[in-house]
Amino acid sequence: MELTDLTIAAARTGLAKRSFSALELADAHIAAAAKARDLNAFITETPERAREMAGRSDARLARGEAGLLEGIPLAIKDLFCTEGVRTTAGSHILEGFVPPYESTVTANLWRAGAVMLGKTNLDEFAMGSSNMTSHFGPVKSPWTRRGDNRPLVPGGSSGGSAAAVAARLALGATGTDTGGSIRQPAAFTGIVGLKPTYGRCSRWGIVAFASSLDQAGAFARTVEDTALMLQSMAGHDPKDSTSFAAPVPDYAAALGRGVKGLKIGIPKEYRLDTMPEDIERLWRQGIDWLTAAGAEAVEISLPHTKYALPAYYIVAPAEASSNLARYDGVRFGLRVEGETLDDMYERTRAAGFGAEVRRRVMIGTYVLSAGYYDAYYLKAQRVRALIARDFTEAFQRVDAILTPTTPSAAFAHGEKTADPVQMYLNDIFTVTVNLAGLPAVSVPAGLSGDGLPLGLHVIGRTFDEETVLGAAKVLEDAAGFVARPY
Ligand code: GLN
């Protein structure tokens, strides 16, 4: 078996037994990434840093001081600030920005012994579902439709991370999920994507998009591997007042819990008329897998679901317009000189932001403006509270909720990209979860008619990642998803 085919769990065993060194493991991934540059998964590769970190891991392994992720090569979404390594957020406006600090989540990973392979491509400022809005160009999914070799999107916004893990360029990767940006690309590329509860991981040092929705999470090829990653990433951080001040449970231990005796909610509002038959079928299959493992499926109602996307597309741009005000040509990155200070701001922001980011800044500024604040922003916040209440009520009757992750399989470069609303619809099953701050995971569970991966989505109660992981593991075992992009 190639070293790049290992799971994180198997790599840990191999490293502990000295079957190979952390340096060999890093080198195998560095070589794989160099061969797969056509995917454009990485914005910045950091092979020297990877080899240096791997060398230190080997020394710690020899001394018997291995951390939970000792020697495990990971890819980092280029939205996490990494000390001394350029961080772009997929934008031109951060041109030349090299953070003098490390995000808490990545610092936690390095403390656990993980090795950084590089920074992965993403939609600009994590705004998108296709990775087509990156200043550094689109990412190509390692998958293609059967009998059709047009390049497909890996999903977004964490498309580079998802493509890297699916193509065996990294054993795991970080992502962030504001409305679906971990789960949708995981579903499109046939890997596992875990979005923890809002507050489970610190947001400190992650370039902010929509602060009340953003949450860091993990991509890997198995549920167990995402549990190992979350174990290292999560925890209270005094630098983020929204991070949760409670001990992190043992996630790996939760994997064996199963679903026996659990009630699994099936929300009737998620049954769309427009949904392709293969996704309907997979959803029914998922219900059967969970019931065969001892769960009881219960139909539930989440009545405000249809307002989730409209509410999200007010709240998220509002927060984005405020967060992105800091990119003024003075403090970070790009500056385009002008006649006056205002002129410099305008030129810098016009040159630095792409079309989708400008659209969001304009929508956000509009909905926050004095005359429209009540009509849009306040109304959206009220709708958000109703959506959260739908879930609270549902979770009085059920322990977890099962839905498809996405309403379609991956699409081709250029498909859907002309119409922003078409693009926004990708997140119809995932944004509700961010609005309510809940944990959720996407598990690869089957293939579409044209041979592309499809994901099932398990949603849990606040801070109950353990039940989510337990149910995800049951789905993973039942699905036995072994298809590979190549
Ligand atoms: N696709 C959604 C958006 O464009 C969500 C992105 C994300 O989760 N970062 O806003």
Side-chain angles (χ1 to χ4, degrees), residues 79-131:
L79 200 64
F80 291 79
C81 287
T82 41
E83 189 177 349
V85 175
R86 109 172 143 145
T87 298
T88 69
S91 183
H92 183 38
I93 209 155
L94 275 168
E95 175 95 29
F97 174 57
V98 177
Y101 44 75
E102 186 77 26
S103 85
T104 299
V105 160
T106 47
N108 289 346
L109 288 169
W110 313 144
R111 195 172 313 110
V115 165
M116 177 163 86
L117 292 167
K119 307 292 294 290
T120 56
N121 207 340
L122 69 157
D123 282 302
E124 187 177 4
F125 284 102
M127 298 174 189
S129 302
S130 63
N131 224 295

Side-chain angles (χ1 to χ4, degrees), residues 216-228:
F219 289 100
R221 293 190 293 263
T222 65
V223 175
E224 178 183 18
D225 287 0
T226 59
L228 292 169

Side-chain angles (χ1 to χ4, degrees), residues 38 104 123 134 161 170 189 197-198 225 237 263 269 287 343 345 396 415 432 465 479:
D38 63 314
T104 299
D123 282 302
S134 170
S161 284
T189 57
T197 310
Y198 182 79
D225 287 0
D237 177 8
K263 292 202 167 67
E269 290 79 7
I287 297 170
D343 191 34
Y345 290 156
Q396 284 167 6
E415 274 174 17
T432 50
E465 281 81 4

